[in-house]
Amino acid sequence: MFHKAIKVIVVTEKFLQDRVCSLMESCGGKGYTLVSAGGKGLHHLHATDDKASVAEGLGNIKIEVIVRERSKAETIAATIMKDVFSEYPGIIYLEHVEIWREERF
Amino acid sequence: MFHKAIKVIVVTEKFLQDRVCSLMESCGGKGYTLVSAGGKGLHHLHATDDKASVAEGLGNIKIEVIVRERSKAETIAATIMKDVFSEYPGIIYLEHVEIWREERF
Amino acid sequence: MFHKAIKVIVVTEKFLQDRVCSLMESCGGKGYTLVSAGGKGLHHLHATDDKASVAEGLGNIKIEVIVRERSKAETIAATIMKDVFSEYPGIIYLEHVEIWREERF
Amino acid sequence: MNVLLEFLLRFVAQLQSPTLAFLIGGALLAATGSKLTIPGSIYQFIVFVLLMRIGIEGGIEIREANLAEMLVPAVFSVLIGLVIVVLGRIFFSLLPKVKMEDGIATAGLFGAVSASTLAAAIVLLEEESMMFEAWVPALYPFMDIPALILAIVLANLYLKRKHAGGTHPVRIFQIVKDSLRGAALSALVLGLLLGLFAQTESVLSSFYDPLFRGFLSILMLILGMEAYARAKELRSVAPWFALYAVVAPVVHGALGFALGYLAHILVGFSPGGVVLLSVIAASNSDISGPPTLRGGIPSANPSAYIGASTSLGTPVAIAVCIPLFHSLAQVVFNL
Amino acid sequence: MNVLLEFLLRFVAQLQSPTLAFLIGGALLAATGSKLTIPGSIYQFIVFVLLMRIGIEGGIEIREANLAEMLVPAVFSVLIGLVIVVLGRIFFSLLPKVKMEDGIATAGLFGAVSASTLAAAIVLLEEESMMFEAWVPALYPFMDIPALILAIVLANLYLKRKHAGGTHPVRIFQIVKDSLRGAALSALVLGLLLGLFAQTESVLSSFYDPLFRGFLSILMLILGMEAYARAKELRSVAPWFALYAVVAPVVHGALGFALGYLAHILVGFSPGGVVLLSVIAASNSDISGPPTLRGGIPSANPSAYIGASTSLGTPVAIAVCIPLFHSLAQVVFNL
Amino acid sequence: MNVLLEFLLRFVAQLQSPTLAFLIGGALLAATGSKLTIPGSIYQFIVFVLLMRIGIEGGIEIREANLAEMLVPAVFSVLIGLVIVVLGRIFFSLLPKVKMEDGIATAGLFGAVSASTLAAAIVLLEEESMMFEAWVPALYPFMDIPALILAIVLANLYLKRKHAGGTHPVRIFQIVKDSLRGAALSALVLGLLLGLFAQTESVLSSFYDPLFRGFLSILMLILGMEAYARAKELRSVAPWFALYAVVAPVVHGALGFALGYLAHILVGFSPGGVVLLSVIAASNSDISGPPTLRGGIPSANPSAYIGASTSLGTPVAIAVCIPLFHSLAQVVFNL
Ligand SMILES: Nc1ncnc2c1ncn2[C@@H]1O[C@H](COP(=O)(O)O)[C@@H](O)[C@H]1O
Ligand SMILES: Nc1ncnc2c1ncn2[C@@H]1O[C@H](COP(=O)(O)O)[C@@H](O)[C@H]1O
Ligand SMILES: Nc1ncnc2c1ncn2[C@@H]1O[C@H](COP(=O)(O)O)[C@@H](O)[C@H]1O
Ligand code: NA
Ligand code: NA
Ligand code: NA
């Protein structure tokens, strides 16, 4: 059986990965998935790992956490927004998903 | 014109990639997209490819297949759930998408 | 506050990355996220970067752009469909997302 | 008869050469379903180092070379590249059930040049101490670029005739730029310039040179794996492509040998140079040719031309043509 | 007493050996939270080069070897692999609060062989010029594969008894194939074949050999980092796994030494061979064993067996067993 | 006049040095839109190997060094790091239309140290056989860490004054830890410890040393590509940053030279040491400084400080300052 759930997605610079992940966990996320990324936004152009980038931690990372309740998703997003994205570049958004084995999320 | 479709997403360990992909194809998926990932769940912490992991195949992989009918998506999910995730770690979920060129999915 | 938005996702071969990204920008996308990928579709099997692929640019890339208006998303999709996918392999699809800081998209 | 016998003996001996052994080893790994892989980033680095080594070495020696000598072989290289494409165009047009664009693209790829085959030939000549002019590797772009351009032009002329007016204009300058910007030619040209203008002797002898053979061995392993993996794709297209991929390298190499011999008579082109010219002609582009062709002939099916080149053309060029033209040169030039 | 003293002195000296120093260095990096990482692709390449070096070197020398001599040590290797798993099965069955599958899987991993520990031992013997038969590294699969198979068979028998009929049939041939297809054994076997049948002397001496020690040093660094990182996981399972991981390598190594010594008496197995056999026995599989076990015993908890092996077993095998059995051999064989 | 002439001659000669030639080659590649790239994982590995080589070499020789001699240069290094930041703070505060945080962050980066510039200088001194004390590379953190700390403190004091009370407390210990945990300093310190306490001579001479120049050449290529790519970003900020990036390395290097000369008089600091101290002062952090500053001064615009450093500061330090202070030393010390 599938159950409705919410995925919170963050795209930001790699050196912020640990900070974002621990915020996600402290707000009740039970797991997360990490994907190396590149991209362009208001700030730099970030190369993917295909291309060397001289400064450490400047590449992008995409972090996804799935939670069951929308309220938890919003808490996670609001916390990261306040603690990280008030100062650092990055985007955050939600997607509606349907999960199997809901007790794991 | 866009048409409604369903994306089934699996996140699991790399050594299960071939098994998951062939289940997807045998249940009628016409293609799939693979992305190297890391992450944390009930089990280990998986590093992204940025960091060496000694044992072969322990990294995560994200596998996505888009199909037109929800029933097919559910068959894929149920089959993988039964054949793979009854024993191995991993998550599976659905997303609603809108596709172009529906005949390819 | 979250606002509804649309994410346009393209999966295609790496040598088309620059072309797709500049089409996205010229149609009004304000940023995009790139992820190295592999996969299978009507054409070749594409390995992920885990495995060497002899010919340059044959690997897949996943390109995502989030925009606020559905009309813009459709323009982006239609333009890429016409200018790129009439000739080259690749898929394009939309997802509904909810964004924070809507002015950035 | 003597040549044939000598070639046969040499060919059996060559099966033991590391180059070929690693190529076969790679195919074996793929055939047995081994999980051993060489990561993409390592492959890119290996190609870079090999081409820098060839380029720097050439650049250093070109300093003292009489570049006027290069003229005739360079013109012949252009000629060979063009003739190969025309021959391929004719060959495929004679066949039933072949999509013409696929045929022209394949001919373009076989007219273009493979950096790895070139590297393997250089290693063999160095091992056997058969001298060649330092600038011979620089003939690469002279054959590669015209072949790719002509293939793209012919394909577009053909398509224009088919669906009147439906195609893009061919932007030749763009193709030249695309070719030179490809990873393989960029590295070769960069190496040539560095060898020519900078004091790169010490970094060449301390780094690029010692890694050359080892990296080549790994490249051969990768090519062997890929040859096996792409064989499936080749099976999905008309068998004529497989036939072409087996025969064309030998024919093209013979053409290269003939013109090289002519250059030998005309301007004293060295025996080693003749061998390298033959191998360059016999080889087919595996790294940077494919994306250029995909850009220029979008409607051609890459499974046809990449399959033909990677799964048969390159192995034939390395396993058959290198020893063939090397032993031919030994007989012809009485070495 | 003398042996003990000599061992202690040697052990202190070994702390300065690059192998061990890099292992400790890696653990220190991880412990201090350093952001220094060795990318996954570099790790794969390093493992490939190390095993090719071991394989090619072995293959070249096997050409002249009398392979009949290999028979007794090979049989003993199979025996050791099996005995280790049986011993582990008994050990864990005597303990309270241990999930039996976890115990059997751990015993399987400790019966299997670590390529990196083997490489470290080879470097030590080469440095100390202690000779060993060229084919000794080829004993690897003779111990590795039987241990993995037996562990998977035992676990499935156990599970079948527990939930009558609920398990999969054990496909032994599949396990053999899976093992041989793993990255580590593939590279070793490929190297052996290349060394045996191709002229790989020059690429060995120009490339694989010079990189051997340096790449081993980096591999040790990675193992050290991983040992520290996985210690957390090991803490999440019963402490018996930690105990086993510390004691088993020494016991297994002693078993290897005893049988090696017997082979010395029976068929003149060399002292260096005895040391390598002990180290192979003492080592536990870190690269390719884990995925094979996950395939064969899905219900076993990888944190138990990978944690035990990576965070304690491998460091003990490298830091304690290599110097221990080396100095033991010096005393026993009067070197 | 003589110095100037000698410098000019030397500078023209240096354009041919591989270091500089590869730097220019990288910029050319980027400028021509070449698709040749060096993958991120290769870059990380190269930086690791270079810093291990410098660290191990230093560590080995420090064993016999009189570390008391290090005291004065170490104190001077701290001083230089602090003075550079104060100078930069004053410079940018005098200018119109410069966001103060951006200026302070830039000054912090230029006070910090570049591992690649240091490596390039070491190669030059080794080639020219100009001796330096083995511990000179260990001065790196003495200048790097104080500069980063002071910049972060100054920026936060400034911000606190601006929006009363709105900023974070500055956690100095955290900054020190962050710096030491960065990939560059971690590798250097690890290498020093390994060189000091382990028997790393053979792995140094068989692996890290032979790869040193070659890897440096590739690192220069990467720096050249990045310099070109980031030039666009630099253009997006006030032109004062470009001015600073061109002039500051020379000024800082001169300061380093002056204090190095003083150390020469006071405690006999070697001419090679004086050159290295100047180059360390002239260099600006490219690998690990940026993330530390982003952590410490979040509101500063990275396009300003990373652009200034990568696209102008580093090329000036390598292309101008290394030959400048080397030839200055030759004149001043009558070599
Ligand atoms: N409109 C967008 N669509 C998709 N990804 C974006 C978009 N804007 C920004 N990003 C991603 O978020 C990262 C940080 O964005 P920014 O803070 O705007 O520099 C970029 O590097 C992109 O990977
Ligand atoms: N709540 C979650 N949100 C996002 N990804 C998850 C979540 N839980 C697990 N995952 C991913 O699924 C993988 C396997 O999960 P597990 O089976 O719980 O170890 C993890 O390594 C993560 O990449
Ligand atoms: N049904 C599908 N679901 C997910 N990804 C797909 C699907 N079909 C194609 N793709 C992706 O799109 C790429 C190009 O597809 P194609 O043009 O069909 O070769 C493939 O390599 C896959 O990565
Ligand atoms: Na050709
Ligand atoms: Na064992
Ligand atoms: Na500085």
mmCIF file with all atom_site columns, all heavy atoms in Angstrom, chain A residues 40-43 46 60 89-90, chain C residues 31-33 64 66 104-105, ligand 1:
data_model
loop_
_atom_site.group_PDB
_atom_site.id
_atom_site.type_symbol
_atom_site.label_atom_id
_atom_site.label_alt_id
_atom_site.label_comp_id
_atom_site.label_asym_id
_atom_site.label_entity_id
_atom_site.label_seq_id
_atom_site.pdbx_PDB_ins_code
_atom_site.Cartn_x
_atom_site.Cartn_y
_atom_site.Cartn_z
_atom_site.occupancy
_atom_site.B_iso_or_equiv
_atom_site.pdbx_formal_charge
_atom_site.auth_seq_id
_atom_site.auth_comp_id
_atom_site.auth_asym_id
_atom_site.auth_atom_id
_atom_site.pdbx_PDB_model_num
ATOM   1   N N   . LYS A 1 40  ? 23.572 26.185 -11.732 1.00 0.00 ? 40  LYS A N   1
ATOM   2   C CA  . LYS A 1 40  ? 23.733 27.628 -11.837 1.00 0.00 ? 40  LYS A CA  1
ATOM   3   C C   . LYS A 1 40  ? 22.535 28.265 -11.169 1.00 0.00 ? 40  LYS A C   1
ATOM   4   O O   . LYS A 1 40  ? 21.412 27.768 -11.258 1.00 0.00 ? 40  LYS A O   1
ATOM   5   C CB  . LYS A 1 40  ? 23.767 28.009 -13.311 1.00 0.00 ? 40  LYS A CB  1
ATOM   6   C CG  . LYS A 1 40  ? 24.278 29.395 -13.566 1.00 0.00 ? 40  LYS A CG  1
ATOM   7   C CD  . LYS A 1 40  ? 24.530 29.565 -15.042 1.00 0.00 ? 40  LYS A CD  1
ATOM   8   C CE  . LYS A 1 40  ? 24.641 31.022 -15.404 1.00 0.00 ? 40  LYS A CE  1
ATOM   9   N NZ  . LYS A 1 40  ? 24.839 31.146 -16.858 1.00 0.00 ? 40  LYS A NZ  1
ATOM   10  N N   . GLY A 1 41  ? 22.774 29.371 -10.464 1.00 0.00 ? 41  GLY A N   1
ATOM   11  C CA  . GLY A 1 41  ? 21.673 30.067 -9.825  1.00 0.00 ? 41  GLY A CA  1
ATOM   12  C C   . GLY A 1 41  ? 22.027 31.538 -9.805  1.00 0.00 ? 41  GLY A C   1
ATOM   13  O O   . GLY A 1 41  ? 22.621 32.049 -10.749 1.00 0.00 ? 41  GLY A O   1
ATOM   14  N N   . LEU A 1 42  ? 21.696 32.197 -8.704  1.00 0.00 ? 42  LEU A N   1
ATOM   15  C CA  . LEU A 1 42  ? 22.045 33.612 -8.595  1.00 0.00 ? 42  LEU A CA  1
ATOM   16  C C   . LEU A 1 42  ? 23.552 33.776 -8.449  1.00 0.00 ? 42  LEU A C   1
ATOM   17  O O   . LEU A 1 42  ? 24.101 34.813 -8.792  1.00 0.00 ? 42  LEU A O   1
ATOM   18  C CB  . LEU A 1 42  ? 21.387 34.218 -7.353  1.00 0.00 ? 42  LEU A CB  1
ATOM   19  C CG  . LEU A 1 42  ? 19.858 34.233 -7.366  1.00 0.00 ? 42  LEU A CG  1
ATOM   20  C CD1 . LEU A 1 42  ? 19.350 34.919 -6.110  1.00 0.00 ? 42  LEU A CD1 1
ATOM   21  C CD2 . LEU A 1 42  ? 19.390 34.992 -8.604  1.00 0.00 ? 42  LEU A CD2 1
ATOM   22  N N   . HIS A 1 43  ? 24.201 32.790 -7.885  1.00 0.00 ? 43  HIS A N   1
ATOM   23  C CA  . HIS A 1 43  ? 25.618 32.938 -7.566  1.00 0.00 ? 43  HIS A CA  1
ATOM   24  C C   . HIS A 1 43  ? 26.485 32.301 -8.648  1.00 0.00 ? 43  HIS A C   1
ATOM   25  O O   . HIS A 1 43  ? 26.246 32.500 -9.809  1.00 0.00 ? 43  HIS A O   1
ATOM   26  C CB  . HIS A 1 43  ? 25.868 32.363 -6.177  1.00 0.00 ? 43  HIS A CB  1
ATOM   27  C CG  . HIS A 1 43  ? 24.980 32.962 -5.134  1.00 0.00 ? 43  HIS A CG  1
ATOM   28  N ND1 . HIS A 1 43  ? 23.717 32.488 -4.893  1.00 0.00 ? 43  HIS A ND1 1
ATOM   29  C CD2 . HIS A 1 43  ? 25.143 34.037 -4.322  1.00 0.00 ? 43  HIS A CD2 1
ATOM   30  C CE1 . HIS A 1 43  ? 23.143 33.239 -3.948  1.00 0.00 ? 43  HIS A CE1 1
ATOM   31  N NE2 . HIS A 1 43  ? 23.994 34.176 -3.589  1.00 0.00 ? 43  HIS A NE2 1
ATOM   32  N N   . HIS A 1 46  ? 28.380 26.195 -10.890 1.00 0.00 ? 46  HIS A N   1
ATOM   33  C CA  . HIS A 1 46  ? 29.064 25.076 -10.237 1.00 0.00 ? 46  HIS A CA  1
ATOM   34  C C   . HIS A 1 46  ? 29.227 23.938 -11.220 1.00 0.00 ? 46  HIS A C   1
ATOM   35  O O   . HIS A 1 46  ? 28.234 23.446 -11.759 1.00 0.00 ? 46  HIS A O   1
ATOM   36  C CB  . HIS A 1 46  ? 28.250 24.563 -9.050  1.00 0.00 ? 46  HIS A CB  1
ATOM   37  C CG  . HIS A 1 46  ? 28.037 25.598 -8.009  1.00 0.00 ? 46  HIS A CG  1
ATOM   38  N ND1 . HIS A 1 46  ? 28.976 25.890 -7.065  1.00 0.00 ? 46  HIS A ND1 1
ATOM   39  C CD2 . HIS A 1 46  ? 27.000 26.443 -7.790  1.00 0.00 ? 46  HIS A CD2 1
ATOM   40  C CE1 . HIS A 1 46  ? 28.519 26.858 -6.290  1.00 0.00 ? 46  HIS A CE1 1
ATOM   41  N NE2 . HIS A 1 46  ? 27.323 27.214 -6.707  1.00 0.00 ? 46  HIS A NE2 1
ATOM   42  N N   . ASN A 1 60  ? 28.086 21.453 -5.963  1.00 0.00 ? 60  ASN A N   1
ATOM   43  C CA  . ASN A 1 60  ? 26.746 21.379 -5.375  1.00 0.00 ? 60  ASN A CA  1
ATOM   44  C C   . ASN A 1 60  ? 26.424 19.970 -4.893  1.00 0.00 ? 60  ASN A C   1
ATOM   45  O O   . ASN A 1 60  ? 26.978 18.994 -5.393  1.00 0.00 ? 60  ASN A O   1
ATOM   46  C CB  . ASN A 1 60  ? 25.695 21.763 -6.423  1.00 0.00 ? 60  ASN A CB  1
ATOM   47  C CG  . ASN A 1 60  ? 25.485 23.260 -6.496  1.00 0.00 ? 60  ASN A CG  1
ATOM   48  O OD1 . ASN A 1 60  ? 25.938 24.002 -5.645  1.00 0.00 ? 60  ASN A OD1 1
ATOM   49  N ND2 . ASN A 1 60  ? 24.786 23.704 -7.525  1.00 0.00 ? 60  ASN A ND2 1
ATOM   50  N N   . PRO A 1 89  ? 24.071 30.372 -0.241  1.00 0.00 ? 89  PRO A N   1
ATOM   51  C CA  . PRO A 1 89  ? 23.256 30.108 -1.428  1.00 0.00 ? 89  PRO A CA  1
ATOM   52  C C   . PRO A 1 89  ? 22.646 28.711 -1.356  1.00 0.00 ? 89  PRO A C   1
ATOM   53  O O   . PRO A 1 89  ? 23.159 27.826 -0.675  1.00 0.00 ? 89  PRO A O   1
ATOM   54  C CB  . PRO A 1 89  ? 24.255 30.179 -2.571  1.00 0.00 ? 89  PRO A CB  1
ATOM   55  C CG  . PRO A 1 89  ? 25.573 29.904 -1.968  1.00 0.00 ? 89  PRO A CG  1
ATOM   56  C CD  . PRO A 1 89  ? 25.496 30.385 -0.547  1.00 0.00 ? 89  PRO A CD  1
ATOM   57  N N   . GLY A 1 90  ? 21.573 28.542 -2.082  1.00 0.00 ? 90  GLY A N   1
ATOM   58  C CA  . GLY A 1 90  ? 20.918 27.245 -2.110  1.00 0.00 ? 90  GLY A CA  1
ATOM   59  C C   . GLY A 1 90  ? 19.432 27.412 -2.321  1.00 0.00 ? 90  GLY A C   1
ATOM   60  O O   . GLY A 1 90  ? 18.882 28.496 -2.136  1.00 0.00 ? 90  GLY A O   1
ATOM   61  N N   . GLY C 1 31  ? 17.880 29.473 -13.320 1.00 0.00 ? 31  GLY C N   1
ATOM   62  C CA  . GLY C 1 31  ? 18.929 28.639 -12.751 1.00 0.00 ? 31  GLY C CA  1
ATOM   63  C C   . GLY C 1 31  ? 18.630 27.214 -13.156 1.00 0.00 ? 31  GLY C C   1
ATOM   64  O O   . GLY C 1 31  ? 17.567 26.926 -13.722 1.00 0.00 ? 31  GLY C O   1
ATOM   65  N N   . TYR C 1 32  ? 19.564 26.318 -12.916 1.00 0.00 ? 32  TYR C N   1
ATOM   66  C CA  . TYR C 1 32  ? 19.294 24.918 -13.208 1.00 0.00 ? 32  TYR C CA  1
ATOM   67  C C   . TYR C 1 32  ? 20.235 24.065 -12.369 1.00 0.00 ? 32  TYR C C   1
ATOM   68  O O   . TYR C 1 32  ? 21.255 24.560 -11.855 1.00 0.00 ? 32  TYR C O   1
ATOM   69  C CB  . TYR C 1 32  ? 19.469 24.601 -14.700 1.00 0.00 ? 32  TYR C CB  1
ATOM   70  C CG  . TYR C 1 32  ? 20.756 25.109 -15.283 1.00 0.00 ? 32  TYR C CG  1
ATOM   71  C CD1 . TYR C 1 32  ? 21.943 24.402 -15.123 1.00 0.00 ? 32  TYR C CD1 1
ATOM   72  C CD2 . TYR C 1 32  ? 20.809 26.309 -15.985 1.00 0.00 ? 32  TYR C CD2 1
ATOM   73  C CE1 . TYR C 1 32  ? 23.124 24.875 -15.641 1.00 0.00 ? 32  TYR C CE1 1
ATOM   74  C CE2 . TYR C 1 32  ? 21.997 26.796 -16.505 1.00 0.00 ? 32  TYR C CE2 1
ATOM   75  C CZ  . TYR C 1 32  ? 23.141 26.077 -16.332 1.00 0.00 ? 32  TYR C CZ  1
ATOM   76  O OH  . TYR C 1 32  ? 24.334 26.550 -16.825 1.00 0.00 ? 32  TYR C OH  1
ATOM   77  N N   . THR C 1 33  ? 19.882 22.805 -12.220 1.00 0.00 ? 33  THR C N   1
ATOM   78  C CA  . THR C 1 33  ? 20.711 21.874 -11.468 1.00 0.00 ? 33  THR C CA  1
ATOM   79  C C   . THR C 1 33  ? 21.083 20.706 -12.375 1.00 0.00 ? 33  THR C C   1
ATOM   80  O O   . THR C 1 33  ? 20.234 20.207 -13.120 1.00 0.00 ? 33  THR C O   1
ATOM   81  C CB  . THR C 1 33  ? 19.956 21.382 -10.217 1.00 0.00 ? 33  THR C CB  1
ATOM   82  O OG1 . THR C 1 33  ? 19.690 22.510 -9.390  1.00 0.00 ? 33  THR C OG1 1
ATOM   83  C CG2 . THR C 1 33  ? 20.761 20.369 -9.432  1.00 0.00 ? 33  THR C CG2 1
ATOM   84  N N   . GLU C 1 64  ? 17.638 19.937 -14.406 1.00 0.00 ? 64  GLU C N   1
ATOM   85  C CA  . GLU C 1 64  ? 16.356 20.336 -13.833 1.00 0.00 ? 64  GLU C CA  1
ATOM   86  C C   . GLU C 1 64  ? 16.275 21.846 -13.726 1.00 0.00 ? 64  GLU C C   1
ATOM   87  O O   . GLU C 1 64  ? 17.215 22.482 -13.234 1.00 0.00 ? 64  GLU C O   1
ATOM   88  C CB  . GLU C 1 64  ? 16.213 19.757 -12.419 1.00 0.00 ? 64  GLU C CB  1
ATOM   89  C CG  . GLU C 1 64  ? 16.346 18.254 -12.366 1.00 0.00 ? 64  GLU C CG  1
ATOM   90  C CD  . GLU C 1 64  ? 16.143 17.699 -10.958 1.00 0.00 ? 64  GLU C CD  1
ATOM   91  O OE1 . GLU C 1 64  ? 16.371 18.453 -9.994  1.00 0.00 ? 64  GLU C OE1 1
ATOM   92  O OE2 . GLU C 1 64  ? 15.756 16.531 -10.837 1.00 0.00 ? 64  GLU C OE2 1
ATOM   93  N N   . ILE C 1 66  ? 13.554 24.871 -12.306 1.00 0.00 ? 66  ILE C N   1
ATOM   94  C CA  . ILE C 1 66  ? 12.283 25.170 -11.635 1.00 0.00 ? 66  ILE C CA  1
ATOM   95  C C   . ILE C 1 66  ? 11.834 26.562 -12.058 1.00 0.00 ? 66  ILE C C   1
ATOM   96  O O   . ILE C 1 66  ? 12.631 27.505 -12.013 1.00 0.00 ? 66  ILE C O   1
ATOM   97  C CB  . ILE C 1 66  ? 12.457 25.135 -10.104 1.00 0.00 ? 66  ILE C CB  1
ATOM   98  C CG1 . ILE C 1 66  ? 12.889 23.737 -9.677  1.00 0.00 ? 66  ILE C CG1 1
ATOM   99  C CG2 . ILE C 1 66  ? 11.162 25.528 -9.394  1.00 0.00 ? 66  ILE C CG2 1
ATOM   100 C CD1 . ILE C 1 66  ? 13.225 23.637 -8.207  1.00 0.00 ? 66  ILE C CD1 1
ATOM   101 N N   . ARG C 1 104 ? 13.111 33.978 -6.573  1.00 0.00 ? 104 ARG C N   1
ATOM   102 C CA  . ARG C 1 104 ? 14.349 33.502 -7.189  1.00 0.00 ? 104 ARG C CA  1
ATOM   103 C C   . ARG C 1 104 ? 14.091 32.621 -8.396  1.00 0.00 ? 104 ARG C C   1
ATOM   104 O O   . ARG C 1 104 ? 15.041 32.163 -9.026  1.00 0.00 ? 104 ARG C O   1
ATOM   105 C CB  . ARG C 1 104 ? 15.147 32.672 -6.189  1.00 0.00 ? 104 ARG C CB  1
ATOM   106 C CG  . ARG C 1 104 ? 15.275 33.348 -4.835  1.00 0.00 ? 104 ARG C CG  1
ATOM   107 C CD  . ARG C 1 104 ? 16.205 32.560 -3.984  1.00 0.00 ? 104 ARG C CD  1
ATOM   108 N NE  . ARG C 1 104 ? 17.541 32.626 -4.554  1.00 0.00 ? 104 ARG C NE  1
ATOM   109 C CZ  . ARG C 1 104 ? 18.587 31.992 -4.074  1.00 0.00 ? 104 ARG C CZ  1
ATOM   110 N NH1 . ARG C 1 104 ? 18.444 31.223 -3.029  1.00 0.00 ? 104 ARG C NH1 1
ATOM   111 N NH2 . ARG C 1 104 ? 19.761 32.091 -4.654  1.00 0.00 ? 104 ARG C NH2 1
ATOM   112 N N   . PHE C 1 105 ? 12.835 32.292 -8.697  1.00 0.00 ? 105 PHE C N   1
ATOM   113 C CA  . PHE C 1 105 ? 12.596 31.283 -9.733  1.00 0.00 ? 105 PHE C CA  1
ATOM   114 C C   . PHE C 1 105 ? 11.910 31.853 -10.976 1.00 0.00 ? 105 PHE C C   1
ATOM   115 O O   . PHE C 1 105 ? 11.424 32.964 -10.950 1.00 0.00 ? 105 PHE C O   1
ATOM   116 C CB  . PHE C 1 105 ? 11.768 30.131 -9.154  1.00 0.00 ? 105 PHE C CB  1
ATOM   117 C CG  . PHE C 1 105 ? 12.530 29.358 -8.111  1.00 0.00 ? 105 PHE C CG  1
ATOM   118 C CD1 . PHE C 1 105 ? 12.435 29.702 -6.770  1.00 0.00 ? 105 PHE C CD1 1
ATOM   119 C CD2 . PHE C 1 105 ? 13.386 28.327 -8.474  1.00 0.00 ? 105 PHE C CD2 1
ATOM   120 C CE1 . PHE C 1 105 ? 13.153 29.032 -5.811  1.00 0.00 ? 105 PHE C CE1 1
ATOM   121 C CE2 . PHE C 1 105 ? 14.107 27.648 -7.519  1.00 0.00 ? 105 PHE C CE2 1
ATOM   122 C CZ  . PHE C 1 105 ? 13.992 28.000 -6.182  1.00 0.00 ? 105 PHE C CZ  1
HETATM 123 N N1  . LIG G 2 .   ? 15.534 27.853 -10.946 1.00 0.00 ? 1   LIG G N1  1
HETATM 124 C C1  . LIG G 2 .   ? 16.307 26.834 -10.567 1.00 0.00 ? 1   LIG G C1  1
HETATM 125 N N2  . LIG G 2 .   ? 16.022 25.581 -10.989 1.00 0.00 ? 1   LIG G N2  1
HETATM 126 C C2  . LIG G 2 .   ? 16.772 24.529 -10.618 1.00 0.00 ? 1   LIG G C2  1
HETATM 127 N N3  . LIG G 2 .   ? 17.859 24.635 -9.826  1.00 0.00 ? 1   LIG G N3  1
HETATM 128 C C3  . LIG G 2 .   ? 18.206 25.868 -9.362  1.00 0.00 ? 1   LIG G C3  1
HETATM 129 C C4  . LIG G 2 .   ? 17.448 27.002 -9.709  1.00 0.00 ? 1   LIG G C4  1
HETATM 130 N N4  . LIG G 2 .   ? 18.027 28.062 -9.088  1.00 0.00 ? 1   LIG G N4  1
HETATM 131 C C5  . LIG G 2 .   ? 19.092 27.592 -8.391  1.00 0.00 ? 1   LIG G C5  1
HETATM 132 N N5  . LIG G 2 .   ? 19.206 26.263 -8.557  1.00 0.00 ? 1   LIG G N5  1
HETATM 133 C C6  . LIG G 2 .   ? 20.204 25.379 -7.944  1.00 0.00 ? 1   LIG G C6  1
HETATM 134 O O1  . LIG G 2 .   ? 20.547 25.858 -6.658  1.00 0.00 ? 1   LIG G O1  1
HETATM 135 C C7  . LIG G 2 .   ? 21.951 26.170 -6.584  1.00 0.00 ? 1   LIG G C7  1
HETATM 136 C C8  . LIG G 2 .   ? 22.153 27.381 -5.709  1.00 0.00 ? 1   LIG G C8  1
HETATM 137 O O2  . LIG G 2 .   ? 21.389 28.442 -6.216  1.00 0.00 ? 1   LIG G O2  1
HETATM 138 P P1  . LIG G 2 .   ? 21.715 29.967 -5.897  1.00 0.00 ? 1   LIG G P1  1
HETATM 139 O O3  . LIG G 2 .   ? 21.605 30.120 -4.432  1.00 0.00 ? 1   LIG G O3  1
HETATM 140 O O4  . LIG G 2 .   ? 20.680 30.742 -6.662  1.00 0.00 ? 1   LIG G O4  1
HETATM 141 O O5  . LIG G 2 .   ? 23.134 30.187 -6.428  1.00 0.00 ? 1   LIG G O5  1
HETATM 142 C C9  . LIG G 2 .   ? 22.353 26.385 -8.023  1.00 0.00 ? 1   LIG G C9  1
HETATM 143 O O6  . LIG G 2 .   ? 23.739 26.151 -8.199  1.00 0.00 ? 1   LIG G O6  1
HETATM 144 C C10 . LIG G 2 .   ? 21.493 25.385 -8.759  1.00 0.00 ? 1   LIG G C10 1
HETATM 145 O O7  . LIG G 2 .   ? 22.044 24.062 -8.692  1.00 0.00 ? 1   LIG G O7  1
#
